[in-house]
């Protein structure tokens, strides 16, 4: 008979020690979690599971039901697609109307500007006239004699001169 090489495996003893410490320190909490889990399973999850199983059985018994369901889904998709197509056509029609209205307004503006040469001449004059006098310099200050003069460099022991 083959002898065990490792009579006291460290992994197993450490695992047992960790689990025993867990139950010693948190035993009541672990017990409460287990009890709550069992109650939730029996009260909520089990009925849902049973309902799903019943649905599966009904579907496997009646193959025509799945075909009817598929036809109903296809009909609903067709109705939704028709509604979408109508909305899209309406939107495109409105956009086309907006575009033609914009083009009409542009043409009116162009025609009114072409017909009135005075407006065009006035626009050219405004573009050619400078907005301010060329002799203006904002850094010079007011013309009343007060002008900015930079301060003189300080002479002292910190300037490093000799």
């Amino acid at each position: 008979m083959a002898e065990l090489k490792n009579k006291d495996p460290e992994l197993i003893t450490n695992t047992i020690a960790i689990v025993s410490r867990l139950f010693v320190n948190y035993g009541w909490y672990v017990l409460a979690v287990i009890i709550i889990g069992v109650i939730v399973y029996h009260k909520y999850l089990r009925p849902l599971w049973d309902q799903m199983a019943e649905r599966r059985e009904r579907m496997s018994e009646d193959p025509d039901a799945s075909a009817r369901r598929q036809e109903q889904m296809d009909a609903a998709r067709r109705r939704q697609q028709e509604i979408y197509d109508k909305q899209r056509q309406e939107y495109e029609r409105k956009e086309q109307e907006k575009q033609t209205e914009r083009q009409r307004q542009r043409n009116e503006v162009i025609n009114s500007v072409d017909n009135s040469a005075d407006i065009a001449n006035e626009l050219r004059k405004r573009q050619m006239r400078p907005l301010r006098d060329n002799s203006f310099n904002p850094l010079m200050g007011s013309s009343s004699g007060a002008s900015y003069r930079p301060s003189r460099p300080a002479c002292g022991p910190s300037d490093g001169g000799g």
Side-chain angles (χ1 to χ4, degrees):
M1 183 175 217
E3 258 188 64
L4 293 174
K5 292 181 182 177
N6 212 358
K7 295 194 181 212
D8 189 24
E10 190 176 328
L11 177 65
I12 294 173
T13 57
N14 286 342
T15 305
I16 292 172
I18 290 172
V19 170
S20 65
R21 270 189 255 135
L22 179 74
F23 278 111
V24 166
N25 291 332
Y26 304 106
W28 289 110
Y29 298 114
V30 171
L31 182 64
V33 167
I34 290 172
I35 291 173
I36 290 172
V38 168
I39 291 171
V40 166
Y41 174 76
H42 283 292
K43 191 166 186 172
Y44 298 108
L45 298 178
R46 186 76 182 255
L48 288 175
W49 183 262
D50 292 341
Q51 285 177 356
M52 289 184 351
E54 289 175 12
R55 286 182 190 162
R56 271 189 247 120
E57 288 176 13
R58 276 188 270 139
M59 289 174 63
S60 63
E61 291 173 2
D62 190 12
D64 294 332
S66 64
R68 283 192 306 269
R69 192 177 313 107
Q70 185 66 34
E71 289 173 5
Q72 290 172 351
M73 287 174 55
D74 290 340
R77 286 187 186 119
R78 279 193 299 273
R79 285 191 304 269
Q80 289 176 345
Q81 186 65 40
E82 289 171 1
I83 291 170
Y84 173 75
D85 288 340
K86 287 178 185 176
Q87 290 174 347
R88 182 180 48 84
Q89 289 172 355
E90 182 68 21
Y91 175 76
E92 287 176 352
R93 184 184 61 79
K94 286 181 181 179
E95 284 298 314
Q96 183 66 28
E97 288 175 1
K98 287 179 185 176
Q99 185 66 24
T100 55
E101 180 64 23
R102 281 190 220 120
Q103 186 64 34
R104 185 187 61 77
Q105 289 176 353
R106 255 189 243 125
N107 289 340
E108 286 179 3
V109 168
I110 289 172
N111 289 337
S112 67
V113 169
D114 287 344
N115 291 338
S116 60
D118 294 338
I119 295 174
N121 287 336
E122 183 64 29
L123 288 174
R124 278 192 220 108
K125 287 179 184 176
R126 285 184 188 168
Q127 289 173 353
M128 294 170 60
R129 182 176 42 162
L131 297 176
R132 57 178 167 73
D133 189 19
N134 286 335
S135 63
F136 175 73
N137 187 353
L139 297 177
M140 294 300 292
S142 65
S143 60
S144 65
S147 62
Y148 172 74
R149 296 180 76 183
S151 61
R152 301 177 79 184
C155 296
S158 63
D159 68 350

